[in-house]
Amino acid sequence: MKGRVIVDDRKLKILAAVVDEYVRTGEPVGSKAISKLDNIKVSAATIRNDMAALEQLGYLEQPHTSAGRVPTFKGYRLYIDELMSPPDLSDEEKHRLDDMIGGKDTPEELLIQNAAAALTEITKCAAVVTNSVPRFSVISKVEVIPTGKRLYVILLITSSGNIKNKACRLEFDLNHEQLDFFTKYIEENLSGVSVDELSEEMFDKMVAAVSAYMVSLSPLVKGICELSEDLRQQELTLSGSENLLKCDELDKMEVVRFIEHKDGLSDMLEDAFSGIQVKFGAESGSFAIGNSSLIVSKYRKDGKEAGSLGVIGPMRVDYKKIIPYVEYLTSKISYLMSDDDENIITGNIVDTDTQP
Amino acid sequence: MKGRVIVDDRKLKILAAVVDEYVRTGEPVGSKAISKLDNIKVSAATIRNDMAALEQLGYLEQPHTSAGRVPTFKGYRLYIDELMSPPDLSDEEKHRLDDMIGGKDTPEELLIQNAAAALTEITKCAAVVTNSVPRFSVISKVEVIPTGKRLYVILLITSSGNIKNKACRLEFDLNHEQLDFFTKYIEENLSGVSVDELSEEMFDKMVAAVSAYMVSLSPLVKGICELSEDLRQQELTLSGSENLLKCDELDKMEVVRFIEHKDGLSDMLEDAFSGIQVKFGAESGSFAIGNSSLIVSKYRKDGKEAGSLGVIGPMRVDYKKIIPYVEYLTSKISYLMSDDDENIITGNIVDTDTQP
DNA sequence: GTTTAGCACTCTATCTCTTCGAGTGCTAAC
DNA sequence: GTTAGCACTCGAAGAGATAGAGTGCTAAAC
């Protein structure tokens, strides 16, 4: 074994070239192919030496002795973080995306669905979106509405316009006074509370307090508790998953299991910090697909993180092309969802277009 | 070519045996394998002749010249409609199912979800259920709840316990009187109206009437109209879809596309008439999976069709086993959903005999 | 006329063997 | 430090060869 291997500029250039070629062709890349590239001036033999060094450093690997090199995920990581410079989208591409996702009057729900559809179509990968996360919203209203014999509907509304309801059957009917007491109590305890703060213990206490007044009220509190769980649960939509099955480099069984259970996806999306990020299946314990990569970015609503938008594909994916798309879409969605003039509370189904 | 080929009893018996064997083993069935069966007394040579005849008639086919026979979908059709006699479930099996789905006090929603889960587990196929269709239910309550500046939540509740809500933004805030007027008007016009009767024209008329009082009320009516459309739309749940992906005989791409879009499934379930039915993907244009089969039956609530329950698997599926399960579950669900004192219609053929 | 035994034939799946070529690492020369 | 040349390795792809399952047909038996 020789001494320390140094990563010089040429080696990085070669690494980038290998990744580009591999992404383009899907075949392991040999020294000869690299030497033919315009921006590489050295001979195949030199490249061979450098490639051997890059392999020793863990950036490249050989499927078998007499094959070309393939980037390792460490190689991709370096490529993405340091070597690659994705070009800007052309105006034409931007307009195309704009047309696909909708405008200010498009409901948020539809906006992110359209964005997912656009990503699916353009990238030929799977797209994943999460709903506007209601974390930063607060409970704005709780109603209990009698609808039949011992039957009540609970209505929970948040400041972000999320509405949940649930039917609840009690053992006894409530008279006006009791209903009033309950509604007041709940309003006092929940109004203005952030969705994030709602906890099981909190509801346990409320059950205790309410039961002291009237035992048979506790199912209502439990109902509200369940609704609040629904609220905290962010919805996640995976679309274009058939594209994942078309990828030869992904294990079909893993893909199938992933499509079914979406293991670890929610965490992966949640964990992402600001800006665009690329994560590899290999780097994450929970995210199930081995050779996959997730390109994800969070969109914002009125300056606050509201949800994520991402593309799932094989590790061998055209990052240069996809990253600008995801970046553009998230910023566009952030813009479309935010209110320039006032802080309007728009729910996922609010119809702002009120004229006939 | 010889003269007319006659389908005698023995040929049918052989066809049935071929289907049974094929279902059991998954391999093309040869004459020898059939001749070894206890209930077949003739020699392999005779069976060969009969199988050739069955092939000529389109009931069997050969994957290639020197392979055994496989049933065509026409063969399955004959088998299912005429030849097969599924055994009754044992009491043990019935109890097992009873435990799995719940009892009279289980909410309807949960009841059908449990039934789907049971079918998924037992059959190792996918199960599909549709919600109790609220067609026969009536609007029992409409509420309009102010929740913010010019923001209202509409709540629509049906007699069957279905609850829908929607946020709606108006151009002006309503005062107490206006809200009262609107609520009264809506209650008068919609209370007790069956979900089935709700029509676009009806709402158009209401928009006109309400606009005469106050133009900016019309978004509320439109909101209610949209909710009523939601009500009419039956919900469809596909569970255990990973089982479909495990089937070698189904095309993975088709399955994934199907899981994602559920093409044609709704129609297939809706089309079914009374009693248990088996449909093949090959027979239907819209239903997407080629070699699949759908075993479906409708359940009833108080004598009226309320929803469907079915199993989706490969055509090579153990009909003898699955059909009794689906039959039992639909009749059980029909029973559980209906009030005991009313006439209960059970079984695959309408049973006018109502005594227990 | 129907059924059966026997036999030649067909076709696939599987294995081995060979060839081909891409790509490498190493060495020696520049 | 770079390059040309060369022997070597290894997998992919193709060609037989073989085995086995199943058939269709014929002629004999019932």
Side-chain angles (χ1 to χ4, degrees), chain B residues 108-268:
Chain B
E108 295 185 0
E109 186 85 1
L110 200 54
L111 221 46
I112 58 172
Q113 298 304 339
N114 288 346
L119 283 176
T120 308
E121 190 184 322
I122 293 169
T123 66
K124 307 292 176 206
C125 291
V128 59
V129 290
T130 62
N131 254 359
S132 173
V133 184
R135 292 190 158 189
F136 305 98
S137 64
V138 300
I139 302 288
S140 68
K141 189 150 198 148
V142 187
E143 291 253 343
V144 178
I145 303 159
T147 61
K149 211 167 54 168
R150 296 183 283 124
L151 200 58
Y152 296 82
V153 169
I154 310 166
L155 199 64
L156 206 61
I157 304 176
T158 70
S159 60
S160 61
N162 212 331
I163 310 166
K164 299 277 175 193
N165 66 51
K166 185 174 166 61
C168 208
R169 186 178 290 280
L170 298 189
E171 281 173 51
F172 306 101
D173 257 322
L174 303 179
N175 61 31
H176 193 72
E177 186 196 338
Q178 290 162 333
L179 192 58
D180 237 41
F181 162 81
F182 183 77
T183 311
K184 277 229 178 74
Y185 176 81
I186 293 295
E187 285 271 344
E188 262 168 35
N189 280 272
L190 288 184
S191 244
V193 175
S194 117
V195 172
D196 229 15
E197 291 173 90
L198 299 168
S199 67
E200 199 116 356
E201 299 95 64
M202 196 168 155
F203 285 104
D204 283 347
K205 272 183 205 158
M206 289 174 64
V207 168
V210 160
S211 298
Y213 176 80
M214 184 180 173
V215 169
S216 68
L217 283 174
S218 64
L220 288 177
V221 180
K222 278 186 192 145
I224 297 174
C225 177
E226 283 170 43
L227 286 182
S228 79
E229 268 160 31
D230 283 0
L231 273 182
R232 277 201 301 281
Q233 190 143 13
Q234 92 178 331
E235 271 173 44
L236 189 146
T237 317
L238 180 66
S239 63
S241 45
E242 76 252 38
N243 289 335
L244 292 182
L245 282 163
K246 285 182 199 149
C247 291
D248 297 332
E249 43 264 273
L250 300 180
D251 180 87
K252 299 240 185 306
M253 285 307 294
E254 281 183 350
V255 171
V256 170
R257 213 167 313 157
F258 173 74
I259 291 173
E260 199 155 317
H261 303 112
K262 303 189 181 66
D263 298 312
L265 183 53
S266 177
D267 292 340
M268 292 278 280

